[in-house]
Amino acid sequence: SGLEIPMGARLVAVACAVDRIATGDGGHPALSGPAAQAALNALAGTALDPDLVRVWASQAERALAAR
């Protein structure tokens, strides 16, 4: 667990979680914006690498600001 999991696998886990949150999964509605980020943050430190979740949030915020 933790840092024993290869970085690539941890990154893919975050990407998969973002996809599931944004598209909906298993009867859960799709989320976007702050609700999607809150759902991702809820997984940080348990199912997802909290550092990568912070990087994702930072990059998503930056991308939205550039629009």
Side-chain angles (χ1 to χ4, degrees), residues 7-64:
M7 177 64 77
R10 289 183 276 149
L11 183 59
V12 168
V14 172
C16 287
V18 168
D19 182 61
R20 284 191 311 272
I21 291 167
T23 60
D25 181 34
H28 294 97
L31 302 174
S32 62
Q37 188 59 53
L40 194 62
N41 289 343
L43 298 172
T46 55
L48 301 174
D49 181 320
D51 294 330
L52 291 179
V53 170
R54 278 192 290 276
V55 170
W56 176 269
S58 170
Q59 292 304 307
E61 186 175 305
R62 221 172 124 193
L64 290 173

